[in-house]
Amino acid sequence: MLYSIVLFLHIIGAVVMFVAVGITLLAMISMLHSKTTDTLRNWAALAVKLDGLLPFSVILILVPGFYLVFSSWGFGNAWIDLSLALLIIMTFMGPAINLRRLKAILHAANAEKNQSPSTVLLEKVRDRVLWNSVVIMTMLAFAIVFMMTVKVSMMGAIISVVVAIILGFIAANMLLSRNSITIASTDKKTSSIN
């Protein structure tokens, strides 16, 4: 009975992490497409708040996770060891890379005087390091769930992580390049009207 309750808490932690990362990604995509500074500011504020959920979700994952490891599985399983390492890395990536940049976007949006976002603000929103970090973290979260479900060997765990990182880079660059194409076509239409 205790094992089932602890496993439930462990899964709740994973759900909270997915919700936080997913809504942060949604907020970032919405910032890319924001036509007004107010809208961009609101999405940036949401992204900053939700990025703060990541450490809480990691605690919800790790505390029950350690119980499960010590009571049933033990260390030495590639899927456990690598998942733990990834969670710790993601816990530091969030505040060091994502939160710092998201706060900079929010600060710039709060300082913006124009109704339409300035080029400087939009460049902060299109920060490749931020996009790569958030999308790769999202893919790594999927890799962790995959490893935990399938209980892969070390080779399978490494392949899962490499695939997640590659897919993260590809998805982040696709999102940014698609937005650049949209902006370029909008600029052409605006200049042809003038």
Side-chain angles (χ1 to χ4, degrees), residues 7 38 45-46 87 105 116 136 144 175:
L7 180 60
D38 284 340
L46 179 63
L87 268 177
I105 292 169
S116 296
I136 287 171
I144 290 170
L175 286 166

Side-chain angles (χ1 to χ4, degrees), residues 47-160:
V48 167
K49 287 177 187 166
L50 283 170
D51 199 69
L53 272 180
L54 186 62
F56 173 70
S57 70
V58 169
I59 291 169
L60 270 177
I61 292 169
L62 286 181
V63 171
F66 279 125
Y67 173 83
L68 295 171
V69 167
F70 289 121
S71 69
S72 300
W73 294 99
F75 287 105
N77 294 300
W79 55 275
I80 291 174
D81 298 344
L82 199 51
S83 294
L84 176 61
L86 288 174
L87 268 177
I88 292 169
I89 290 168
M90 289 167 61
T91 302
F92 288 105
M93 281 175 68
I97 299 172
N98 306 347
L99 189 57
R100 197 169 58 112
R101 285 173 168 78
L102 289 169
K103 283 183 176 179
I105 292 169
L106 181 58
H107 179 71
N110 285 332
E112 186 74 44
K113 302 297 181 205
N114 299 328
Q115 187 172 0
S116 296
S118 66
T119 306
V120 172
L121 178 56
L122 291 175
E123 285 305 312
K124 287 185 183 300
V125 171
R126 290 188 202 104
D127 182 341
R128 282 200 182 275
V129 173
L130 173 64
W131 278 90
N132 284 327
S133 176
V134 170
V135 179
I136 287 171
M137 283 177 67
T138 304
M139 294 299 156
L140 287 175
F142 279 108
I144 290 170
V145 170
F146 174 76
M147 290 186 291
M148 292 284 183
T149 306
V150 179
K151 297 175 179 36
V152 294
S153 65
M154 180 56 82
M155 184 55 70
I158 291 170
I159 290 170
S160 301

Side-chain angles (χ1 to χ4, degrees), residues 19-38:
V19 167
V21 171
I23 297 177
T24 300
L25 189 55
L26 171 69
M28 288 174 53
I29 291 168
S30 299
M31 283 190 283
L32 270 181
H33 299 286
S34 294
K35 303 290 185 228
T36 66
T37 303
D38 284 340

